[in-house]
Amino acid sequence: MQDHVFYSSVDPAEGDRRFVLRGLDGLRAIAVTLVVLYHLFPAIVPGGAMGVDIFFVISGYLITALLLREGAYTGRMNIVQFWIRRARRLLPAMLVLIITVASLAFLIGGDVQVGLPRQIIGALTFSSNWLYIASGNDYFAQTSPELLTNFWSLAVEEQFYILWPVVLVLVFMFVSRWSRRLLVPVVLGVLSLLTAEVLGLLGAGASRAYYGTDSHLFGLMLGVALALLIPWSMYPPVDARLYPVVGFGNGWQGLLRAVLGWACLVAMYPLAVSMTDATAGMMPWGLLLASVLSVGVIQALLADVRNPLARLLRAVLSFPVFVWIGRRSYGIYLWHWPLAVLAHYLFGPNLNPWIRGAVVVLTLIIAGLSYMFIEEPVRRHGFFPSLRSWGSAMVGPAKTAPIACLAVATLAVAGTVAAVRTAPELTEAEQVVAAAGPGSGEIKKPAPAASSASASAEPEPSGSATPAQPQGVSIIGDSVTVASSSELSKQLPQASIDAAVSRTLVKELPELERQADAGQLGRIVVISLNTNSTLTAQQLDEVVDRLAHDKQRRIIFVTGVAPTGLEWVASSNAEVHAAAKRHPEVVSVADWAQAAAGHPEYLVSDGVHPEANGQAVYAKVIADEVARVQKSLQEHPENPNAPAHAG
């Protein structure tokens, strides 16, 4: 293949073969900092998940730009050598992490081991994201977090590393015009966005679109498009006078690009602090915006070297701390999540800030050691020379060095095998749900006979010409209600219970309205759906409008309990209390969150689902509120609009 296929208007001989793009490490540092804060201190940057998309843009740009440079200088792209370089860069640190954290999980035991075989297989085969989709792992609601969940994004990148070089070579072989080549990533990016939107319309769930390579390819393709737009960006001309020729831009164009870069960098902060998991359109449009901002920063780093604003941007993003973090960003990303998960199961779900801070410090230390002794040696010298070097470092230049390496590796692998073989099938939360109901995690307990049900409500006034009022108690709940269904039946034998795993209010409301219209809902409706999605004032007002518009029905909302990290539960609880104040005649609150506060012994390891004693308290909180509302109805039969809350 001829050289002219790979480059446009610049002769590679006139380019800087040793060029390094200053500032890119700083952007990596920003990306990994956002992700770490999002996972460990979500209140600081609730939209920190966008850091992964910044990484995607960097990877798409850098991989494509480096392949273009290779093609320009050699006339071909050696895909096999590219894959070997990627393997040297990624696999050693990844393998060390897997056998280390799996062995630690074996020592801790319990929930941290659940799903470990699947997670390790996914990590080793670069298919973690698809296996998480198949298993129903919810990235945005992990009450029992999995040890290697962060490998989903590594899987997406590794799939990109495997497939994209092949596609790029085929594009250059069969598409001669550069503008048409540029269409390839543009079309793939648009298709990815459309896939994410279609999945949302089909109700596939946010995690399906978030995890899927097909639906989360847009950031990588934006980076690819930038590299193809400026194909000589990784070997810019040595003579600055050529910049206008190759399109780097000087004068007012360069100034405009530099200003745009600064604006994009600054805009990342408000986006990170304002966007949350519950933000409408966060996937894909919020993350697309983060990707576009990343492209804006990178293109400014490529601006004319004589432009003072561009030079300042490169200098700021090349600050030594940024460079240190950026160069170790892979190790930081690898280690921070497993260490946080181990701390979750070791110290409980409500980690205090000191423990979270300790996780950050430990992550930086381990990432630094990994970069120094594992990643860089293997990247520079290869696998086997590095193994010999490690063995010599441990026991000196003796012939026993390989044996020492083998012994350490064998011990770690043995711990991993033990962790896999002893992994429980279910978490504690899944066990309490399974113990309460059928294997589907669903409870449908109808109310007793009409005579029994009506005995629990006020009698119908004789001679009334109005339609019969709804009677009895209906409880609608999620997995927390499923787990507590036995206690609820004991304390509220007159109630019907309809509960299932992963229920949300938005999805259940149409069915509840149908049941209300059909006379299948009780006069008192208990709704316990706070743990799977964010409740808004609009949603709660809609519940009141659809179920209690005639003021004949009372609604009791049950607050939820969750550890730090599931921020929407606290938000939903606040909205529930506010709804009771807005609609005192029909809405009241059974405050399970208040009853469980300060009692971690009520909950299993996920900090959400109640164990046996907690189930009894949960049921009692609901039963007490039901009894209070029933008493109010009996005391004011002539005034159905009397306030539902105490006083």
Side-chain angles (χ1 to χ4, degrees), residues 16-27:
D16 183 356
R17 195 163 189 164
R18 296 171 296 177
F19 177 75
V20 175
L21 182 56
R22 294 182 66 238
L24 208 58
D25 283 328
L27 192 57

Side-chain angles (χ1 to χ4, degrees), residues 471-488:
Q471 304 296 318
V473 179
S474 299
I475 301 176
I476 313 299
D478 53 23
S479 57
V480 175
T481 309
V482 173
S484 307
S485 58
S486 178
E487 284 292 336
L488 284 168

